[in-house]
């Protein structure tokens, strides 16, 4: 360890995560409130509800409101107060609060000092105190929202066309703002926040100054506004968002955060949380103090409890979207690659902490990968994955005769292995077997990893630089032969990438075996066939080539392969001159990728000696990574607050990469995936977070957790 020049002190930060409560009837949800005991109630068209075990259930405790038509509900002095069609009442204050308001079809209630009450219906306001009506006022439009301004000792009322004030002893309204499409209102001790159908604005308390309408928002159709702990929260028809101190927004949308995106109301919740009521339910967004290490330990449990299949890091398919109890472990084409990344994380964890658990997990994953070459019975040829001969494998090719299936049946007729292995898999294998040979504590296990390097390298040498499968033919993507690699123009990424990969594989195998045949083959590819020149070209040469295969756009899966390869390519270089050239080539790739703020790329760059590895951006990524790994459908294309860039080769949409918790869940090879998702049909494995976190610990970029 000790690679890094600077270290993040791992102190607790506020991690946001959501708990969702779904409504179970067709009731329209209207409002919510919380009392001083932390009890949350939701007003619906079918009565008062409360959150319980991820559902909104009927509130039965306070019987007097169960048989009454409750039309509004507020929290006053930390107690619930209800507006019914006939009266205002409460379960608090010994039950003494009860006033028959006398208004037909009331809609809203607000309370001021000393139980001053303001009640509205579609046409009138009624101000009362101590059971006596102080004034009645005829309105020109229905009330959208009314709140009490304690500092000004007055009520603030919004209609669709204006904002008014009414003092507790006044008999007429004072108009402080005229506008259109007003939907919502909130008051702090400094300003009035007004939501409209096309953005929001602020007024000073006397209404003499108004800010310009703010429309550069995640979505401008505002339905609710609120001040919570001095911060502005806004709800819209496409999610909720909080204004940050830098003028940008934290955006809470999609089922990762909300039951749906049509926000009805926002309120401060229990223990520093925020409550967001939408059309179909209630979401409680908690802000829990935790360190990056705490977060890693959470994901460690997720990985172990739901994502281990035969030792592989496995995908998890949810039979019922979003329901983790319906999870089924599922094989993928890249089980070897994903498992190599999970295994690398456990090796880094062992190196940083000497955890026995990390060692056992690493050995388990290694055995799963080791079997990939054994089950194929082709010398040094790794299967993509394997599975018992069940519906999960053989029945995916029901129309093919047995001799044509890519899922090959083992001699004992019990297992099938997938035979179309690609360069992605080989890249992961050489990356992690080298780490294993360096970091595993037991020599016998390290020797097994070195054996895997040797047999997989020998397979490529003996098969003219191809991965050759059961039928004697190269796989589609397992190709490092010069005829294949050098057919591409220098601008096509595969020429540079595949040259780098195979040279790194040879360096790595030589480093651990000291067998000079690997050095010989390296020199032949490097010098005679130009692989050294290919590999050491700066990444900036990669670009679009008209009509050329594999050059229509930047391939971010290639980035993943490249960064997993650079430790072997740089650190195992045969001499210092080569090492310096290899480092500069790798740095050129990192420079292009650094705007993704990916800590895995940054910490792998640190492993090869990079010192300017964007630590702050890496920590930002780790903090913004969501606690929810479900592949919810997420959309950002509608957002008005993002600065879009012109269509480009890298498939970058916005001037800055979005936080991970505002994008669909994805692996490290999908940097600019801003829209999409399976709507809750999968849970991604937790190594996506674990690998970069433990890589950061390994290189010394992240400290152990601090109290």
């Amino acid at each position: 360890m000790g690679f890094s020049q600077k270290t993040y002190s791992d102190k607790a930060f506020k991690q946001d995560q959501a708990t969702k409560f779904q409504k179970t009837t067709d009731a329209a949800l209207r409002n919510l409130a919380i009392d001083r005991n932390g009890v949350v109630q939701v007003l619906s068209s079918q009565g008062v509800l409360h959150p319980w075990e991820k559902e909104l259930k009927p509130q039965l405790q306070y019987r007097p409101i169960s048989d009454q038509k409750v039309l509004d509900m507020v929290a006053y002095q930390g107690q619930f107060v209800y507006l019914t069609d006939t009266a205002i009442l409460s379960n608090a204050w010994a039950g003494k609060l009860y006033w028959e308001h006398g208004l037909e079809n009331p809609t809203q209630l607000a309370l001021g000092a000393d139980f001053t009450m303001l009640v509205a219906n579609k046409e009138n306001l009624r101000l009362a105190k101590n059971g006596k009506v102080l004034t009645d006022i005829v309105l020109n439009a229905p009330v959208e929202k009314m709140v009490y301004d304690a500092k000004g000792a007055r009520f603030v009322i919004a209609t669709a066309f204006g904002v008014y004030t009414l003092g507790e002893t006044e008999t007429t309204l004072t108009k402080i703002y005229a506008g259109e499409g007003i939907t919502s209102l909130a008051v702090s001790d400094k300003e009035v926040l007004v939501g409209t159908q096309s953005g929001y604005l602020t007024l000073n308390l006397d209404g003499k100054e108004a800010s310009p309408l703010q429309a550069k928002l995640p979505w401008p159709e505002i339905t609710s506004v609120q001040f919570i702990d001095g911060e502005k929260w806004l709800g819209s028809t496409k999610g909720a968002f909080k204004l940050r101190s830098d003028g940008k927004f934290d955006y809470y949308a999609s089922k990762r955060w909300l039951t749906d995106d049509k926000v009805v109301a926002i309120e401060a919740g229990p223990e520093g949380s925020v409550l967001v009521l939408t059309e179909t339910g209630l979401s409680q967004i908690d802000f829990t103090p935790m360190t990056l290490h705490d977060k890693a330990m959470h994901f460690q449990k997720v990985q172990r409890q739901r994502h281990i299949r035969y030792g592989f890091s496995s995908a998890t398919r949810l039979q019922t979207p979003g329901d983790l109890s319906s999870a089924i472990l599922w094989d993928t084409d890249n089980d070897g690659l994903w498992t190599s990344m999970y295994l690398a994380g456990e090796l880094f964890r062992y190196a940083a902490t000497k955890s026995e658990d990390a060692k056992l997990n690493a050995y388990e994953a290694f055995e799963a990968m080791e079997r990939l070459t054994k089950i194929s019975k082709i010398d040094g040829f790794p299967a993509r994955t394997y599975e018992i001969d069940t519906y999960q494998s053989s029945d995916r090719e029901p129309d093919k005769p047995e001799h044509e299936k890519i899922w090959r049946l083992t001699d004992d007729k019990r297992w099938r292995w997938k035979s179309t292995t690609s360069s992605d898999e080989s890249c992961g294998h050489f990356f992690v077997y080298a780490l294993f040979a360096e970091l595993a504590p037991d020599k016998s296990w390290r020797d097994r990893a070195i054996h895997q390097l040797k047999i997989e390298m020998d397979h490529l040498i003996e098969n003219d630089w191809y991965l050759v499968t059961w039928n004697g033919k190269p796989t589609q993507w397992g190709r490092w032969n010069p005829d294949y690699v050098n057919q591409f123009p220098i601008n096509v990424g595969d020429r540079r990438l595949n040259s780098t990969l195979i040279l790194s594989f040879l360096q790595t195998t030589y480093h651990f075996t000291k067998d000079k045949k690997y050095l010989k083959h390296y020199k032949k590819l490097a010098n005679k066939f130009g692989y050294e020149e290919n590999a050491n070209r700066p990444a900036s040469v990669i670009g679009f080539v008209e009509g050329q295969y594999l050059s229509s756009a930047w391939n971010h899966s290639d980035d993943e392969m490249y960064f997993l390869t650079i430790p072997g390519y740089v650190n195992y270089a045969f001499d210092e001159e080569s090492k310096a050239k290899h480092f500069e080539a790798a740095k050129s790739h990192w420079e292009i990728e650094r705007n993704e703020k990916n800590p895995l790329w940054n910490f792998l760059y640190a492993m090869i000696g990079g010192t300017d590895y964007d630590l702050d951006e890496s920590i930002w990524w780790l903090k913004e990574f969501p606690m929810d790994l479900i592949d919810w459908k997420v959309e950002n294309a509608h957002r008005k607050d993002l600065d879009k860039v012109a269509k480009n080769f890298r498939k970058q949409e916005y001037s800055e990469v979005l936080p991970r918790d505002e994008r669909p869940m994805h692996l490290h090879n999908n940097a600019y995936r801003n829209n999409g998702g399976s709507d809750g049909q999968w849970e991604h494995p937790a190594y996506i977070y674990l690998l970069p976190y433990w890589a950061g610990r390994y290189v010394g970029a992240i400290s152990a957790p601090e109290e």
Side-chain angles (χ1 to χ4, degrees):
M1 293 189 288
F3 299 88
S4 298
Q5 301 299 306
K6 49 188 176 180
T7 300
Y8 167 75
S9 296
D10 189 16
K11 299 177 181 178
F13 64 97
K14 289 184 178 181
Q15 175 65 56
D16 45 1
Q17 53 187 316
T19 303
K20 290 160 283 185
F21 303 89
Q22 197 81 28
K23 73 175 184 179
T24 57
T25 69
D26 60 357
L29 305 182
R30 295 174 173 169
N31 196 7
L32 78 157
I34 178 173
D35 73 3
R36 63 185 179 86
N37 305 307
V39 175
V40 176
Q41 292 188 352
V42 172
L43 178 62
S44 81
S45 60
Q46 296 178 8
V48 179
L49 312 174
H50 69 134
W52 188 264
E53 294 182 343
K54 298 191 176 181
E55 291 183 353
L56 290 178
K57 305 276 192 177
Q59 190 285 139
L60 303 175
Q61 288 178 310
Y62 185 37
R63 289 181 294 169
I65 65 168
S66 62
D67 60 353
Q68 297 197 47
K69 190 175 183 181
V70 179
L71 301 173
D72 197 13
M73 173 184 67
V74 298
Y76 179 70
Q77 296 182 3
Q79 305 285 0
F80 293 116
V81 179
Y82 306 98
L83 170 69
T84 75
D85 53 345
T86 59
I88 296 169
L89 68 155
S90 177
N91 185 38
W93 304 290
K96 292 184 291 183
L97 177 59
Y98 185 89
W99 177 57
E100 294 183 357
H101 50 70
L103 275 183
E104 292 185 5
N105 302 313
T107 57
Q108 289 197 42
L109 169 67
L111 278 82
D114 298 324
F115 293 89
T116 304
M117 300 177 187
L118 184 65
V119 189
N121 63 14
K122 289 185 178 180
E123 298 177 350
N124 303 285
L125 290 174
R126 174 163 289 175
L127 183 66
K129 187 172 184 179
N130 298 325
K132 296 181 180 180
V133 176
L134 300 178
T135 186
D136 282 325
I137 299 172
V138 178
L139 285 172
N140 60 1
V143 170
E144 297 293 335
K145 184 70 175 179
M146 53 189 196
V147 297
Y148 183 68
D149 169 19
K151 185 175 183 179
R154 62 185 183 169
F155 294 93
V156 184
I157 304 107
T159 71
F161 305 104
V163 179
Y164 304 83
T165 62
L166 178 65
E168 293 177 323
T169 60
E170 295 176 346
T171 58
T172 59
L173 297 176
T174 300
K175 193 170 190 176
I176 63 171
Y177 176 75
E180 293 184 355
I182 296 171
T183 61
S184 50
L185 179 75
V187 176
S188 73
D189 61 356
K190 296 179 181 178
E191 59 188 349
V192 179
L193 179 60
V194 181
T196 79
Q197 294 175 351
S198 53
Y200 80 92
L201 56 94
T202 58
L203 311 172
N204 66 353
L205 292 178
D206 60 11
K208 292 181 179 179
E209 296 181 12
S211 71
L213 184 71
Q214 306 297 314
K216 191 177 181 181
L217 311 173
W219 189 245
E221 191 177 356
I222 304 302
T223 58
S224 178
V225 296
Q226 194 59 266
F227 289 100
I228 300 178
D229 291 333
E231 296 179 310
K232 295 183 179 74
W233 280 81
L234 301 100
S236 75
T237 54
K238 291 182 184 281
F241 34 94
K242 180 186 73 173
L243 179 64
R244 302 199 312 247
S245 58
D246 62 2
K248 299 179 181 179
F249 295 92
D250 288 330
Y251 187 34
Y252 297 92
S254 84
K255 289 185 178 179
R256 176 180 295 150
W257 298 108
L258 309 176
T259 58
D260 70 277
D261 285 347
K262 293 185 177 180
V263 177
V264 175
I266 300 178
E267 293 288 347
E271 299 178 355
S273 65
V274 172
L275 301 171
V276 183
L277 186 67
T278 62
E279 287 189 342
T280 60
L282 174 69
S283 296
Q284 179 173 319
I285 302 173
D286 290 297
F287 298 86
T288 306
M290 65 172 58
T291 62
L292 295 178
H293 181 265
D294 293 333
K295 196 170 181 178
M297 290 298 95
H298 163 79
F299 284 131
Q300 188 71 26
K301 290 181 180 178
V302 172
Q303 179 74 35
R304 295 301 303 175
Q305 292 176 359
R306 293 198 293 273
H307 292 279
I308 302 298
R309 182 183 66 91
Y310 309 131
F312 289 125
S313 176
S314 180
T316 298
R317 185 170 186 174
L318 306 181
Q319 296 283 78
T320 302
D323 181 0
L324 294 172
S325 70
S326 70
I328 295 177
L329 293 169
W330 208 264
D331 58 77
T332 72
D333 274 3
N334 292 116
D335 277 359
L337 174 59
W338 310 147
T339 302
S340 74
M341 298 174 78
Y342 161 63
L343 172 52
E346 293 290 52
L347 289 169
F348 289 143
R349 179 161 78 107
Y350 178 78
T353 67
K354 295 299 181 281
S355 162
E356 182 70 12
D357 178 64
K359 185 188 82 168
L360 293 175
N361 294 343
Y363 286 2
E364 178 188 47
F366 175 83
E367 285 194 298
M369 293 187 62
E370 185 182 48
R371 192 183 178 204
L372 290 169
T373 51
K374 292 181 178 179
I375 201 169
S376 74
K377 291 197 171 180
I378 303 171
D379 289 344
F381 180 88
R384 282 189 181 273
T385 188
Y386 48 79
E387 183 54 274
I388 292 175
D389 182 29
T390 65
Y391 70 94
Q392 279 193 318
S393 52
S394 59
D395 285 359
R396 292 180 183 176
E397 304 174 275
D399 300 325
K400 282 187 178 181
E402 190 64 46
H403 69 279
E404 293 181 3
K405 290 182 177 180
I406 61 175
W407 279 93
R408 308 303 297 167
L409 193 61
T410 57
D411 292 342
D412 62 8
K413 312 296 184 185
R414 183 159 182 248
W415 292 85
R416 287 188 180 268
W417 57 276
K418 197 162 189 181
S419 60
T420 56
T421 309
S422 70
S423 56
D424 308 59
E425 305 301 289
S426 295
C427 172
H429 293 197
F430 279 89
F431 164 66
V432 82
Y433 290 148
L435 280 178
F436 199 96
E438 287 194 1
L439 301 178
D442 303 306
K443 184 178 184 303
S444 61
W445 284 85
R446 295 198 300 270
D447 289 343
R448 287 164 67 176
I450 294 169
H451 175 72
Q452 289 300 122
L453 291 170
K454 177 176 171 53
I455 64 173
E456 293 194 30
M457 190 71 259
D458 288 348
H459 175 91
L460 299 180
I461 293 171
E462 292 162 7
N463 288 282
D464 201 18
W465 309 109
Y466 291 107
L467 275 172
V468 174
T469 189
W470 60 275
N471 58 9
K473 297 179 181 180
T475 63
Q476 181 176 3
W477 299 112
R479 299 166 182 252
W480 294 274
N481 182 279
D483 291 341
Y484 174 82
V485 171
N486 287 331
Q487 70 172 314
F488 295 110
I490 63 172
N491 314 75
V492 176
D494 271 36
R495 180 165 180 155
R496 179 177 182 271
L497 175 68
N498 281 18
S499 297
T500 306
L501 294 183
I502 198 66
L503 294 182
S504 179
F505 297 171
L506 286 163
Q507 284 182 174
T508 299
T509 310
Y510 175 78
H511 177 83
F512 289 102
T513 66
K514 303 306 179 186
D515 188 330
K516 291 186 178 180
K517 74 176 181 181
Y518 303 116
L519 176 58
K520 176 183 175 183
H521 285 294
Y522 177 98
K523 290 182 176 179
K524 184 176 181 180
L525 290 178
N527 301 323
K528 181 177 180 180
F529 293 105
Y531 279 29
E532 184 89 9
E533 182 181 358
N534 292 340
N536 286 342
R537 285 193 184 96
S540 57
V541 305
I542 301 172
F544 173 72
V545 181
E546 183 70 38
Q548 179 63 52
Y549 182 50
L550 296 177
S551 74
S552 61
W554 188 276
N555 188 334
H556 293 284
S557 287
D558 287 357
D559 296 329
E560 184 172 65
M561 288 193 285
Y562 189 83
F563 279 99
L564 294 183
T565 300
I566 61 171
Y569 187 57
V570 176
N571 295 339
Y572 302 145
F574 294 124
D575 54 60
E576 290 303 314
E577 182 181 358
S578 295
K579 185 174 183 178
K581 292 178 180 178
H582 294 182
F583 174 81
E584 289 303 319
K587 183 177 182 179
S588 75
H589 204 117
W590 175 76
E591 289 282 2
I592 288 176
E593 291 298 295
R594 66 189 302 185
N595 67 350
E596 295 176 11
K597 304 181 182 180
N598 188 326
L600 182 56
W601 305 164
N602 294 339
F603 297 147
L604 289 173
Y605 173 62
M607 279 183 66
I608 64 172
T611 57
D612 49 343
Y613 50 87
D614 294 347
L615 179 60
D616 291 344
E617 288 78 0
S618 299
I619 300 306
W620 170 84
W621 189 103
L622 291 168
K623 287 182 176 179
E624 295 291 337
F625 191 89
M627 302 296 284
D628 183 347
L629 295 167
I630 295 175
D631 187 32
W632 297 114
K633 184 178 181 181
V634 176
E635 297 295 332
N636 285 293
H638 60 274
R639 291 179 63 170
K640 308 298 184 184
D641 61 322
L642 303 178
D643 295 322
K644 292 189 175 183
V645 298
K647 191 174 182 180
N648 57 84
F649 179 67
R650 286 180 52 74
K651 297 187 284 189
Q652 183 175 346
E653 294 183 80
Y654 307 116
S655 58
E656 291 184 290
V657 67
L658 295 180
R660 282 298 305 257
D661 61 3
E662 295 181 15
R663 289 186 271 161
M665 182 54 60
H666 60 79
L667 306 179
H668 288 282
N669 59 347
N670 251 325
Y672 295 120
R673 188 183 180 212
N674 296 314
N675 301 282
S678 67
D679 208 15
Q681 295 180 9
W682 298 89
E683 184 188 47
H684 284 253
Y687 81 80
I688 308 169
Y689 178 92
L690 293 170
L691 175 55
Y693 169 75
W694 287 111
R697 289 286 302 274
Y698 175 69
V699 300
I702 302 173
S703 76
E706 297 186 10
E707 293 295 333

